[in-house]
Amino acid sequence: MCSGPSDIHVLTDYNAIAKWRKLIGPTKVYQAQYNAPDTIRGMFGLSDTRNAAHGSDSEESAVKEIGIFFENFDIKKWYESEEKFYNLGQVHFDPVAFLHSIDKTSINTTKKRIT
C-alpha cells in the first residue's frame, strides 16, 4: 500500500468508505484520468501501482488495514466509548502535538432515578 512517505488516516463518517472511494476515484489510474479527472487518482495518479491514494473497499478490509498501520487502535473501544463524542463534535485535534483528544467535560456523569 505504500511506496514512499505517506499520510495515513482512519476516516469515520456515515458511509465513509463509499465517500472516500468516490473522492479518490477509480482504481485504474488511466480510467480515472479519462472518466474522473477531478478525483485524486485522476489528478495525481501515475500508474495503476502508483495511484496516489488508497481506500479500503469494505469494512473487513478497513479493519485489517487499520490494524497494519495503527497497532494500538481498538476499533471495538472506538464504537463502544468514543464514537459518541465524535458524533457530538467533541473530538478535537491539536496540530502542534498532532493528536486527537476527547472533550468529556459537557457529559453529565451523575445518574438520577426518575420516579
Side-chain angles (χ1 to χ4, degrees):
M1 279 187 277
C2 294
S3 62
S6 301
D7 286 329
I8 301 169
H9 306 271
V10 176
L11 304 177
T12 183
D13 196 4
Y14 174 77
N15 215 10
I17 291 172
K19 289 177 181 178
W20 176 245
R21 289 183 65 84
K22 182 177 180 181
L23 183 65
I24 63 177
T27 303
K28 302 287 186 186
V29 169
Y30 300 115
Q31 181 184 8
Q33 290 170 337
Y34 289 103
N35 298 329
D38 293 335
T39 63
I40 293 170
R41 288 176 175 151
M43 291 185 285
F44 303 109
L46 301 176
S47 70
D48 291 346
T49 58
R50 300 186 72 192
N51 62 16
H54 175 75
S56 302
D57 60 2
S58 67
E59 287 187 38
E60 295 80 18
S61 294
V63 168
K64 178 182 166 191
E65 293 165 3
I66 290 167
I68 292 169
F69 292 104
F70 302 96
E71 295 175 1
N72 298 323
F73 184 75
D74 186 337
I75 292 173
K76 185 177 178 184
K77 179 183 174 189
W78 162 257
Y79 282 115
E80 290 177 353
S81 62
E82 297 174 358
E83 181 187 30
K84 60 188 168 195
F85 297 106
Y86 168 79
N87 290 332
L88 292 169
Q90 293 177 272
V91 175
H92 303 283
F93 179 68
D94 179 345
V96 175
F98 208 72
L99 292 172
H100 286 89
S101 62
I102 297 173
D103 177 8
K104 297 180 181 179
T105 58
S106 64
I107 299 298
N108 184 357
T109 58
T110 60
K111 295 180 181 179
K112 296 180 182 178
R113 184 171 179 199
I114 299 174
T115 56

